[in-house]
Amino acid sequence: MAVYKDFVGFTSCAGKPDYHDITQDVAQVVEASGIQEGTVTVISCHTTCAVFSEEYDHDHTPAGDTFLQADLTDGLRKVFPDQGDWSTYRYPGLEHFEEVESWPNLEKNLPGGDREMLWNGDAHLRSTLIGSSGTYEVAEGRLEMNGLASIYFVDFDRTHPRDRRARVIVMGE
């Protein structure tokens, strides 16, 4: 069995969950792998991000999200409301703030030293519920998706833009 690994990535936006259709990126990794039959697994490298497959939706909201993405965001907000103050969730606690403040790249993780930039308990819970990976078929050297299906990577963290990556692992013959 052969194994081929690569990454796909982008910079997420702030202010709302940020959905990316990574289907073509994953298909390019599959083709580069040379593997003809097997599976490809896409794994988020981040705890506030998720990977899932959904039908491609042709309709978009004024904010640019597909209707299915907007519906998913609205549904998840009912389960895990946006963190808007210190009492919405237990996370992040004082020990977490102190740990982050000790990191050498403080400005990247806590812009301006603003502890509110860590108000992302909702993002962690939403990504846990959706899941951090997806596995798909490789057939005849190509990513095999059913009709309108697409692979989406979503960053639920709304606090500030970040560089995001997903690990793509192709296994097979």
Side-chain angles (χ1 to χ4, degrees):
M1 174 172 29
V3 177
Y4 181 88
K5 298 179 182 183
D6 203 347
F7 288 98
V8 298
F10 53 88
T11 300
S12 67
C13 70
K16 69 181 187 78
D18 192 13
Y19 293 86
H20 292 265
D21 183 342
I22 61 170
T23 311
Q24 292 306 313
D25 297 316
V26 173
Q28 289 173 356
V29 172
V30 168
E31 289 178 24
S33 76
I35 293 173
Q36 296 298 300
E37 300 293 329
T39 59
V40 58
T41 303
V42 181
I43 306 167
S44 169
C45 297
H46 312 281
T47 57
T48 60
C49 299
V51 176
F52 65 98
S53 179
E54 180 61 76
E55 179 172 283
Y56 178 80
D57 184 353
H58 298 86
D59 299 296
H60 291 79
T61 67
D65 295 322
T66 69
F67 282 6
L68 283 170
Q69 292 165 354
D71 290 341
L72 178 60
T73 296
D74 291 347
L76 289 171
R77 275 195 183 113
K78 292 176 184 175
V79 177
F80 300 116
D82 290 351
Q83 187 166 9
D85 59 37
W86 295 102
S87 65
T88 309
Y89 297 101
R90 292 179 187 91
Y91 175 88
L94 182 58
E95 289 182 35
H96 186 68
F97 284 121
E98 291 170 352
E99 173 65 26
V100 171
E101 289 168 341
S102 75
W103 294 350
N105 54 353
L106 179 62
E107 188 60 29
K108 179 180 177 186
N109 294 291
L110 203 61
D114 182 1
R115 286 183 166 185
E116 291 179 14
M117 290 292 109
L118 293 181
W119 281 355
N120 62 359
D122 55 284
H124 286 282
L125 296 169
R126 292 169 185 170
S127 65
T128 298
L129 186 63
I130 300 300
S132 62
S133 66
T135 301
Y136 310 95
E137 182 182 5
V138 173
E140 299 178 6
R142 297 177 55 159
L143 173 64
E144 183 66 32
M145 299 298 288
N146 181 10
L148 294 176
S150 292
I151 302 169
Y152 291 98
F153 182 100
V154 58
D155 184 356
F156 289 113
D157 195 331
R158 304 166 286 103
T159 58
H160 62 279
R162 292 181 166 90
D163 292 333
R164 296 304 198 188
R165 296 188 318 162
R167 173 63 102 172
V168 181
I169 304 170
V170 188
M171 296 184 293
E173 302 295 327

